[in-house]
């Protein structure tokens, strides 16, 4: 794995090196991208919105035992725009995907005390264009809201371009592969203020969490190329609720600088912030699969 960038390397010229690491290893690290105080505010924002999502039927999606996922409204998580406009993230997105890169996901993964190991998985089936051209069309930026002591993110470097022809549902490696994956995996204990950038195709999991731990929230910002399936599918049917997008009010959209908004796949769900509807999470496929495995 590549070494993390030092603070003085956290500039736009770092984009080629980061892109190389993502292609080689499937994951790259950006330490000290934001102050720890910034991450503390993110922790507060995500906790508040998670509670609001739990109160709404269908507001969260299961991601395994004592794990949940939900998609907060952009204006309720100010860190979202900070990440999207971070010079390294913007430069990396343009380097990987060209000038028309799009932000299509603002999500939050939350393991609670007692969460067990997730099955090894990819976030989505390998797109045909990636299989054919060996070209990645998306990245996920992970932002932890606190220092991780247990339940680290675990990944198997280099698996992001494996064909995975024997994967169940094109996302879950078969059981006979597990010993090899566990022998090659690396654990990542994230720290407040750090960012990580990974391919959703790298084989990974969240590990077990102690019963005495506190919930650990990780925000996820998904960024894609113009020919990624998330963009192509939305163009084909703009009313399909399943392709990911960033939900916000028209009031908030009007406040975002146009040159930033151009890079965000927006779904306006209310005229004003005060009129935002209850949370509803459509991103269900992984939770359904994991629930079946653990039944």
């Amino acid at each position: 794995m590549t070494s993390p960038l030092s603070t003085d390397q956290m500039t736009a010229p770092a984009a080629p090196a980061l892109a190389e690491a993502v292609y080689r290893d499937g994951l790259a690290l950006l330490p000290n991208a934001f102050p720890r105080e910034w991450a503390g505010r993110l922790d507060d924002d995500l906790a508040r919105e998670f509670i609001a999502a739990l109160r709404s039927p269908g507001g969260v999606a299961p991601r395994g035992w004592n794990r949940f996922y939900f998609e907060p409204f952009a204006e309720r998580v100010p860190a979202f725009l900070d990440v999207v406009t971070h010079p390294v993230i913007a430069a990396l997105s343009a380097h990987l995907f060209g000038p028309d890169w799009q932000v299509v996901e603002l999500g939050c993964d939350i393991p609670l005390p007692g969460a067990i190991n997730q099955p090894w998985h990819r976030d989505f089936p390998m797109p045909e264009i990636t299989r054919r051209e060996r070209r990645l069309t998306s990245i996920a930026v992970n932002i932890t809201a606190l220092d991780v002591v247990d339940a680290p993110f675990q990944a198997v470097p280099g698996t992001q371009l494996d064909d995975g022809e024997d994967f169940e549902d094109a996302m879950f490696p078969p059981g006979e592969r597990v010993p090899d994956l566990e022998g090659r995996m690396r654990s990542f204990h994230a720290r407040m203020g750090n960012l990580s950038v990974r391919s959703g195709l790298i084989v990974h999991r969240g590990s077990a969490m102690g019963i005495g731990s506190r919930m650990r929230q990780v925000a996820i910002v998904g960024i894609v190329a113009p020919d990624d399936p998330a963009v192509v599918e939305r163009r084909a049917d703009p009313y399909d609720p399943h392709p990911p997008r960033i939900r916000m009010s028209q009031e908030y959209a009007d406040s975002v600088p146009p040159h930033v908004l151009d890079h965000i796949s927006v779904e306006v769900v209310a005229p004003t912030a005060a009129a935002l509807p209850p949370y509803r999470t459509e991103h269900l496929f992984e939770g359904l699969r994991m629930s079946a495995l653990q039944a």
Side-chain angles (χ1 to χ4, degrees), residues 44-275:
D44 292 340
D45 292 339
L46 293 178
R48 181 191 64 244
E49 297 310 304
F50 177 52
I51 295 302
L54 284 173
R55 291 174 177 152
S56 175
V60 300
R63 280 291 179 93
W65 180 258
N66 266 16
R67 292 181 186 269
F68 298 94
Y69 172 89
F70 80 106
E71 296 166 334
F73 298 120
E75 55 239 76
R76 293 183 179 171
V77 184
F80 168 69
L81 276 189
D82 295 336
V83 173
V84 171
T85 58
H86 191 288
V88 175
I89 297 301
L92 175 63
S93 300
H95 183 82
L96 285 170
F97 307 133
D100 297 324
W101 53 275
Q102 287 277 293
V103 181
V104 298
E105 178 185 17
L106 170 59
C108 182
D109 267 322
I110 304 180
L112 299 178
I116 65 176
N117 285 338
Q118 290 180 312
W120 290 105
H121 65 279
R122 286 174 163 167
D123 288 339
F124 46 82
M126 178 177 283
E128 184 55 36
I129 193 169
T130 299
R131 190 182 307 279
R132 185 174 63 249
E133 300 182 11
R134 316 306 289 170
R135 174 167 61 85
L136 298 175
T137 62
S138 66
I139 54 174
V141 182
N142 283 18
I143 313 104
T144 186
L146 72 161
D147 293 338
V148 174
V149 178
D150 64 355
F153 177 81
Q154 296 179 326
V156 185
T159 54
Q160 69 280 356
L161 291 176
D162 288 357
D163 283 343
E165 293 180 350
D166 59 343
F167 285 16
E168 298 177 26
D169 298 327
M171 293 189 298
F172 300 90
E176 56 267 25
R177 283 203 182 193
V178 169
D180 175 65
L181 294 172
E182 295 189 345
R184 296 161 53 202
M185 76 175 185
R186 289 195 59 182
S187 293
F188 298 89
H189 290 79
R191 295 292 180 264
M192 296 170 70
N194 292 356
L195 303 180
S196 66
V197 181
R198 65 179 177 86
S199 166
L201 295 173
I202 189 173
V203 176
H204 64 279
R205 72 180 181 188
S207 68
M209 193 167 180
I211 194 66
S213 302
R214 57 155 290 181
M215 68 178 183
R216 175 178 59 79
Q217 303 169 116
V218 179
I220 305 161
V221 173
I223 303 173
V224 304
D227 57 353
D228 183 83
V231 175
V232 173
E233 289 170 11
R234 182 168 186 187
R235 286 174 178 159
D237 183 0
Y239 299 103
D240 182 352
H242 296 96
R245 62 200 63 182
I246 310 300
R247 293 169 174 161
M248 63 181 68
S249 69
Q250 186 64 58
E251 178 183 44
Y252 180 74
D254 292 341
S255 73
V256 178
H259 72 279
V260 177
L261 197 67
D262 285 346
H263 287 290
I264 300 176
S265 178
V266 172
E267 180 184 11
V268 172
V269 295
T272 66

